[in-house]
Amino acid sequence: MSSNNKNIIIRLRVDEATAKAIRAKADRHFNGNISACIRCSTLQYDGNVTPPSANSEITALLSAILRQLKKIGTNVNQTARQINERMKVSPYGLSASDIQPFVLFRNDLSVIWEHLNRIKERL
């Protein structure tokens, strides 16, 4: 686009928070040129839009879920190794306390389930 041909003015109305966000993004990426910022964002638009606040919240929830799943996986592997080692020494030595960690894993999975339901509500 040639800057000489820019003779059409398009106006839009926004609330104060949106105006502040647009100005900040224009300052950060376009040396304060709001028109360039809006042109770039609209011309790059591909038809999919997710509000930034929802997107960042979903990202945070997914990160929390991944951390929790990694923790659960590590704990399950450690518990299974311990049980397998005990079973080698005494095949009938499995006790209720050996199963107790799996109850805790179930509680951890409940937290993940709640996170997934929050994400589902946002979509």
Side-chain angles (χ1 to χ4, degrees):
M1 268 185 221
S2 171
S3 62
N4 296 336
N5 295 332
K6 295 176 189 164
N7 56 7
I8 297 172
I9 297 172
I10 298 174
R11 296 175 49 160
L12 69 138
R13 294 175 195 232
V14 295
D15 60 19
E16 187 60 37
T18 303
K20 186 176 179 180
I22 290 171
R23 285 187 195 109
K25 203 159 263 199
D27 287 343
R28 193 168 43 248
H29 300 289
F30 297 92
N31 295 325
N33 187 333
I34 293 174
S35 294
C37 179
I38 293 172
R39 276 193 304 272
C40 181
S41 64
T42 56
L43 295 174
Q44 296 295 320
Y45 176 68
D46 64 0
N48 297 321
V49 65
T50 302
S53 61
N55 192 22
S56 62
E57 185 175 350
I58 288 171
T59 300
L61 286 170
L62 288 173
S63 295
I65 289 169
L66 290 173
R67 281 191 304 274
Q68 195 71 17
L69 284 172
K70 184 176 180 181
K71 176 183 147 192
I72 292 169
T74 300
N75 290 340
V76 167
N77 286 338
Q78 289 174 350
T79 302
R81 273 192 209 109
Q82 290 173 357
I83 290 172
N84 287 335
E85 290 301 316
R86 281 196 207 127
M87 295 299 281
K88 288 178 187 174
V89 173
S90 174
Y92 300 105
L94 192 64
S95 67
S97 65
D98 293 326
I99 306 300
Q100 183 61 33
F102 291 100
V103 173
L104 299 174
F105 302 149
R106 191 179 115 237
N107 294 340
D108 290 338
L109 287 171
S110 294
V111 171
I112 290 172
W113 187 255
E114 289 174 23
H115 287 317
L116 289 172
N117 279 327
R118 281 191 217 154
I119 290 171
K120 180 181 166 192
E121 290 170 4
R122 304 266 187 276
L123 298 177

